[in-house]
Amino acid sequence: AARFFGAANILRGSVRDGLLAFAGAELPVGGPDGSATVVIRPEHVTVTDDAALRGTVIEAIYAGTHVRLTIACGAQCLEAHAPTGCAPCAGADVGLDLPRERLWRLPDDGLVSAAG
């Protein structure tokens, strides 16, 4: 359902005490403990030096208004959009900020709800 509305990053992990364990980091999300699928759009992912979630840029493609980055985070890849003047190159180690207010948790029945 999330892909129906356009490009989206799909994060799969386990929630415990309101935190989603993903690629060695913990992201705050709402909902019950247990397995979870959370989505966030690439334009809401911010590349920053001081984030707990880390990854390696495996692809950087100029897209006119931004650079589309594909970033390996553990066994999963995420997409982020970065400004053309300061986008990292392929091979760079980067931090990723995924704002809680932009994370959407998919409930078990497949409907989209706000993660918060």
Side-chain angles (χ1 to χ4, degrees):
R3 295 242 186 240
F4 176 77
F5 296 104
N9 292 301
I10 299 174
L11 294 72
R12 292 179 177 87
S14 181
V15 173
R16 183 171 178 181
D17 297 328
L19 297 172
L20 173 73
F22 177 78
E26 293 182 325
L27 308 171
V29 299
D33 286 357
S35 295
T37 301
V38 177
V39 297
I40 186 168
R41 295 184 53 82
E43 62 269 22
H44 297 138
V45 176
T46 304
V47 176
T48 179
D49 289 333
D50 59 350
L53 179 60
R54 308 296 301 177
T56 301
V57 177
I58 56 174
E59 186 175 59
I61 299 175
Y62 176 72
T65 59
H66 63 277
V67 176
R68 188 179 72 225
L69 303 171
T70 302
I71 303 163
C73 295
Q76 293 182 248
C77 288
L78 300 180
E79 186 177 306
H81 295 173
T84 56
C86 60
C89 299
D93 176 51
V94 296
L96 299 173
D97 180 40
L98 284 63
R100 179 184 181 139
E101 66 274 9
R102 298 296 189 170
L103 293 170
W104 290 81
R105 185 168 179 175
L106 300 178
D108 293 335
D109 61 8
L111 300 174
V112 177
S113 69

